[in-house]
Amino acid sequence: MIYLDNAATTIVSDAAVSAALEMMKENFFNPNATYKPGVNVKAYIESCRKDIAKYIGAEDKELFFTSCATESNNWVFSYGRKRPNGNVVISAGEHSSVYEPAMRLKNHGTDIRVAKLDKDGRVDIDHLLSLVDDNTSLVSVIHVSNETGAVNPIKDICSAVKRKAKNALFHSDGVQAALKTEPINALGVDYYSLSAHKIGAPKGIGLLYVNKKLNIAPMLVGGGQERGFRSGTQNTPYIAAFAAAVKDFVKTRDIERTNAIRSKLIEVFSSAGCKIVGKNNNSGYILCVCLDGAKAEIVQNAACDKGVIIGKGAACSGSKRGNRVLSAIGLSDTEVERCIRISFCNDTTMDDAVAASKIILECADSIRRGNV
Ligand code: PLP
């Protein structure tokens, strides 16, 4: 099998599996217990937090473990605004775990403003800034698009927003960006969400970065874990796996090699008459291709039968019709239906990626000719 749907999820690294198993079998104690094995597990969680903080560019006290990035994003939209009456600005490129909480606020009367995207899938910064004013309480812009790999210049956007609206807080969904672009502390953001299953850890663990100058009210209250900010017994096996996966990811990361693989596939698909969605300044880890005359879903299944796994838009909204983000870039409904998403990880090889692209093109060709 050639697995090229790493933006949906990644294979769990061996180091992450071992770390989780150890916490399940040997160090299963409740980290909040006051006897020694419990205290040791708590200390271990804190060492994991420190390790993760070091690699993603944060201080350990700025990180709160959550069950997933969806929780982190919801937390910011539910409790992260200092002035709940202010307006909220998001980009049209947000993942549904930002977009839907924003729409829920809108249904409860909040003024939600949505900034347009350019043809490469990045937010139109001039339009976004025109929506920001003195009454803006929160701005949220995705760092790397899960649909196209478009990279938003978060540092510049965040500082421009703060110049225009001193009281606005800035959040970025960094799920597809973490460890693949700049560290968090280079961005100047107030909040940043992360999900571990995109970098070799299991599904069901994420974190929210909250700048140390800020306080966020907890969304989950109860036993007061995570220094009172996120109650619920800590998921110690997955926290251990998260830290192990981060170290592994950093060790195996080779951005130049990943960029070269993406560039090669752009060449292969372009010469076959396909349109590349978001060609410029994109993450090397994600490639969105609009196939020539074949529906993505049929190609996806045909390629899967031949051992090649690719995506078509966000996996978590796979059951929803259409694609809000691709439409916002200006693609027609027919083009949207033809878009596949190919996403890489550190272990993707050039040979596998090229072989997969040929199989995808063969499948698309058979479908176009009506042979599937
Ligand atoms: N944000 C982005 C950009 C994503 O790609 C995803 C997952 O696909 C999420 C948020 C949600 O992450 P999780 O599965 O941890 O809730």
Side-chain angles (χ1 to χ4, degrees):
M1 176 183 69
I2 304 177
Y3 181 72
L4 295 177
D5 197 18
N6 291 283
T9 198
T10 52
I11 186 164
V12 180
S13 76
D14 291 343
V17 172
S18 306
L21 263 182
E22 148 87 19
M23 297 307 276
M24 288 188 211
K25 295 277 194 195
E26 313 295 330
N27 282 310
F28 58 88
F29 309 96
N30 189 318
N32 310 297
T34 46
Y35 41 78
K36 203 164 173 198
V39 172
N40 289 344
V41 172
K42 182 80 188 295
Y44 188 65
I45 293 181
E46 294 316 316
S47 76
C48 290
R49 199 190 310 272
K50 272 202 171 71
D51 286 344
I52 296 170
K54 181 172 91 186
Y55 289 111
I56 63 175
E59 289 184 28
D60 53 346
K61 65 180 177 218
E62 295 177 309
L63 305 184
F64 299 97
F65 290 114
T66 59
S67 64
C68 56
T70 298
E71 180 189 327
S72 308
N73 289 340
N74 271 266
W75 188 3
V76 172
F77 275 76
S78 300
Y79 292 94
R81 293 182 298 147
K82 279 192 222 151
R83 297 172 309 142
N85 294 329
N87 64 67
V88 172
V89 181
I90 64 170
S91 86
E94 297 307 308
H95 185 266
S96 47
S97 56
V98 164
Y99 187 80
E100 293 301 333
M103 289 307 122
R104 186 161 64 179
L105 289 181
K106 183 177 174 154
N107 291 339
H108 286 91
T110 301
D111 176 6
I112 300 288
R113 304 171 179 185
V114 182
K116 294 188 285 202
L117 303 181
D118 67 19
K119 66 174 180 17
D120 283 318
R122 284 187 296 271
V123 66
D124 175 334
I125 299 176
D126 290 340
H127 185 230
L128 179 109
L129 291 175
S130 74
L131 300 176
V132 170
D133 60 29
D134 281 345
N135 204 25
T136 300
S137 59
L138 180 68
V139 176
S140 185
V141 178
I142 192 166
H143 195 174
V144 170
S145 166
N146 53 296
E147 302 285 355
T148 62
V151 182
N152 283 308
I154 294 299
K155 181 177 178 219
D156 297 347
I157 299 173
C158 180
S159 60
V161 163
K162 297 221 165 212
R163 273 196 302 276
K164 194 155 181 214
K166 293 205 170 36
N167 294 316
L169 295 176
F170 196 97
H171 167 253
S172 183
D173 175 340
V175 168
Q176 303 290 351
L179 304 178
K180 299 167 185 167
T181 53
E182 312 100 295
I184 301 175
N185 52 19
L187 302 172
V189 297
D190 298 302
Y191 305 116
Y192 198 80
S193 306
L194 225 129
S195 177
H197 72 99
K198 313 293 184 178
I199 50 149
K203 295 150 221 26
I205 181 82
L207 59 79
L208 179 67
Y209 160 91
V210 180
N211 189 297
K212 64 184 173 204
K213 294 184 201 129
L214 272 180
N215 249 327
I216 185 169
M219 180 161 73
L220 298 187
V221 289
Q225 291 90 345
E226 293 290 279
R227 306 195 310 283
F229 286 96
R230 201 276 185 181
S231 288
T233 305
Q234 298 90 330
N235 187 345
T236 50
Y238 282 15
I239 291 171
F242 193 173
V246 164
K247 286 186 215 160
D248 215 45
F249 194 93
V250 171
K251 230 189 311 173
T252 56
R253 178 178 59 190
D254 183 345
I255 304 274
E256 260 180 45
R257 202 178 65 89
T258 311
N259 283 339
I261 293 174
R262 184 178 188 273
S263 300
K264 176 68 189 169
L265 292 207
I266 289 181
E267 217 179 283
V268 173
F269 283 105
S270 302
S271 50
C274 303
K275 176 171 159 181
I276 307 301
V277 183
K279 210 187 249 180
N280 305 309
N281 285 333
N282 280 35
S283 162
Y285 285 85
I286 299 179
L287 174 63
C288 180
V289 179
C290 180
L291 295 167
D292 182 24
K295 276 195 185 174
E297 190 165 338
I298 306 176
V299 174
Q300 185 188 43
N301 284 312
C304 179
D305 290 344
K306 296 190 172 195
V308 173
I309 311 276
I310 52 167
K312 60 157 201 64
C316 37
S317 54
S319 55
K320 291 185 189 163
R321 285 177 63 85
N323 184 308
R324 174 177 44 77
V325 175
L326 296 180
S327 299
I329 297 174
L331 268 62
S332 68
D333 290 351
T334 307
E335 286 176 316
V336 168
E337 275 185 349
R338 293 178 180 173
C339 282
I340 55 167
R341 182 185 66 182
I342 301 173
S343 48
F344 314 107
C345 201
N346 295 340
D347 58 3
T348 307
T349 65
M350 180 68 93
D351 285 352
D352 275 358
V354 171
S357 63
K358 291 194 174 141
I359 291 171
I360 294 164
L361 285 169
E362 277 162 25
C363 292
D365 199 42
S366 300
I367 288 157
R368 213 174 21 246
R369 291 162 191 268
N371 297 338
V372 173

